[in-house]
Amino acid sequence: MNGLELSRAFFEAYGRPMLDEQFPDLLPRLAAGLIGSGSECFGYDDAVSRDHDFEPGFCLFLPGEDVVDRRTAFLLERAYAKLPKEFMGLRRSLMQPVGGPRRGILRTGEFFAEKLSAADGALTVEQWLTVPEQSLAECTNGVLFFDNCGEVTRIREGLRFFPEDVRRKKLAGHLLLMAQAGQYNYQRCIRHGESAAAQLAVGEFVRSTISAVFLLNRQYQPYYKWSFRALRALPKLSLLAELLEYLLTSDNEATQAQEKYDVIESIAADVIDELMEQELTNATCGDLEKHAYSVNDGIADAGLRNLHVLAAV
């Protein structure tokens, strides 16, 4: 049983009966589920994940104090704290994880403000450009068991993915970094005899390629340690994960360096094919830099288009 299944089972066994019995009049204003920080909210948890912050629990979202006052929120917190301390052989922690509570009674506005600096989830263009992508992933992951007032669902739907102009800006920046690090600087570092610098170039190429692939799939990239796992599950370009892993884990000896460069060009070609499939570029070559500027040229908002091509990465 993974964390999402554990959370739902705990909620159905104890959370829902507690709400039905003690807070029936409040139910129309509440939402419950498991979203936010932690591998379990993405469905990525395994046996290793259970060494910290893995326990029965769920999120119970309530609106602001003008709708649900402090006293009622306090009573909810007490009722949540009194739920069984052990469930299916797992004990609930008495201590909050680093960074504050991830489960329990959460004000909807405070949850989204902490993740995005926007309590209502309405982001400006500048915020879309600068909010960490993993935070957006944490706002839209997991599952809601119910949302009777609809507020959490409405905010999550508005955050489902970047606006198209923002997607293009981010994509253009990552394509340019792919070109600089992979198609240009990797071989130059090898010729200079700088093996460590060459591997740094590979790292930059891999990071930007992963970001570009998520953007092409219109899915947020999660925290970096889950990037490859999430990449392998994407509908488009998921097969690049194996090639990117090879680039990171192989050395830069002369015979292998040429092979690695060939892999870089192969990855670039696959990404370009997808750019053309989505009609994001008008360039007709294998140079990712030219495609980066073509993608940027397609941004409708002039102010955003005229920002530096790397402004969003």
Side-chain angles (χ1 to χ4, degrees), residues 1 5-6 9-10 50 56 86-91:
M1 176 177 287
E5 294 167 336
L6 176 68
F10 184 67
R50 299 190 175 200
E86 185 170 332
F87 182 70
M88 294 188 173
L90 294 167
R91 290 194 60 81

Side-chain angles (χ1 to χ4, degrees), residues 129-255:
L129 293 176
T130 57
V131 167
E133 193 167 343
Q134 70 186 51
S135 295
L136 291 162
E138 290 175 357
C139 288
T140 54
N141 66 8
V143 63
L144 290 177
F145 307 148
F146 73 83
D147 183 5
N148 288 338
C149 67
E151 182 182 18
V152 179
T153 298
R154 176 187 59 77
I155 293 174
R156 278 161 58 89
E157 284 301 315
L159 297 169
R160 188 55 54 190
F161 199 60
F162 297 114
E164 181 60 16
D165 275 358
V166 174
R167 179 176 85 117
R168 279 180 170 268
K169 195 69 183 184
K170 287 180 171 289
L171 183 57
H174 286 298
L175 293 171
L176 182 59
L177 292 176
M178 288 173 65
Q180 291 176 342
Q183 291 186 305
Y184 183 72
N185 282 325
Y186 175 70
Q187 282 194 317
R188 289 181 66 82
C189 291
I190 292 295
R191 290 199 294 269
H192 283 299
E194 296 280 357
S195 180
Q199 197 60 13
L200 284 176
V202 165
E204 291 295 327
F205 175 79
V206 170
R207 277 191 289 271
S208 283
T209 300
I210 291 173
S211 293
V213 170
F214 274 92
L215 288 161
L216 288 168
N217 278 274
R218 291 183 172 84
Q219 292 192 31
Y220 293 127
Q221 183 178 346
Y223 190 51
Y224 71 88
K225 69 178 180 178
W226 301 315
S227 291
F228 271 88
R229 177 167 183 168
L231 179 63
R232 294 186 184 99
L234 294 175
K236 299 177 181 178
L237 300 173
S238 60
L239 295 179
L240 295 186
E242 183 177 350
L243 296 177
L244 294 171
E245 186 170 351
Y246 163 75
L247 291 177
L248 286 177
T249 58
S250 56
D251 61 38
N252 295 302
E253 295 180 359
T255 54

Side-chain angles (χ1 to χ4, degrees), residues 3-12 15-16 19 30-36 40-41 56-62 80 102-106 111 141-148 152-153 156:
L4 284 170
E5 294 167 336
L6 176 68
S7 176
R8 184 183 287 275
F10 184 67
F11 174 76
E12 294 296 341
R16 187 180 294 277
L19 294 173
L30 301 179
L34 185 66
I35 67 176
E40 64 272 21
C41 294
F58 54 87
C59 304
L60 191 63
F61 293 96
L62 60 155
Y80 182 88
R102 295 180 176 180
R103 312 289 176 257
I105 311 306
L106 304 169
F111 174 84
N141 66 8
V143 63
L144 290 177
F145 307 148
F146 73 83
D147 183 5
N148 288 338
V152 179
T153 298
R156 278 161 58 89

